[in-house]
Amino acid sequence: MQESQLRVSSAIAGEDEYVEFWPAGTLAKGQFSCTACGNRVTVHQVLPRCMVCGERLWERADWSPFARTD
Ligand SMILES: [Zn+2]
């Protein structure tokens, strides 16, 4: 039982610090936010460039507790 408790806490700590960037053109689904201006888009197939500032790097937004806008 102690072992599984350790795993859970380390997974939570890792998720907190882990930020993955997704470049435009990547196949992806879900909510992403622009790393430059924070513009949020819902992607169904391929990541676009940011239509607000032209940035090409995105980070996933669906994991964020602030992403619940609907
Ligand atoms: Zn942007």
Side-chain angles (χ1 to χ4, degrees), residues 33-39 49-58:
S33 61
C34 174
T35 58
C37 73
N39 174 43
R49 286 177 61 172
C50 178
M51 51 290 283
V52 173
C53 73
E55 175 61 55
R56 298 177 180 203
L57 276 184
W58 301 89

Side-chain angles (χ1 to χ4, degrees), residues 3-64:
E3 193 178 330
S4 64
Q5 271 189 336
L6 266 179
R7 260 191 202 163
V8 168
S9 60
S10 74
I12 290 171
E15 191 178 327
D16 204 29
E17 296 190 17
Y18 183 64
V19 179
E20 187 176 5
F21 295 109
W22 300 62
T26 303
L27 282 172
K29 266 186 190 177
Q31 282 226 318
F32 290 80
S33 61
C34 174
T35 58
C37 73
N39 174 43
R40 190 164 290 172
V41 295
T42 302
V43 177
H44 299 287
Q45 216 169 4
V46 180
L47 282 165
R49 286 177 61 172
C50 178
M51 51 290 283
V52 173
C53 73
E55 175 61 55
R56 298 177 180 203
L57 276 184
W58 301 89
E59 58 186 343
R60 290 209 69 126
D62 358 32
W63 303 333
S64 164

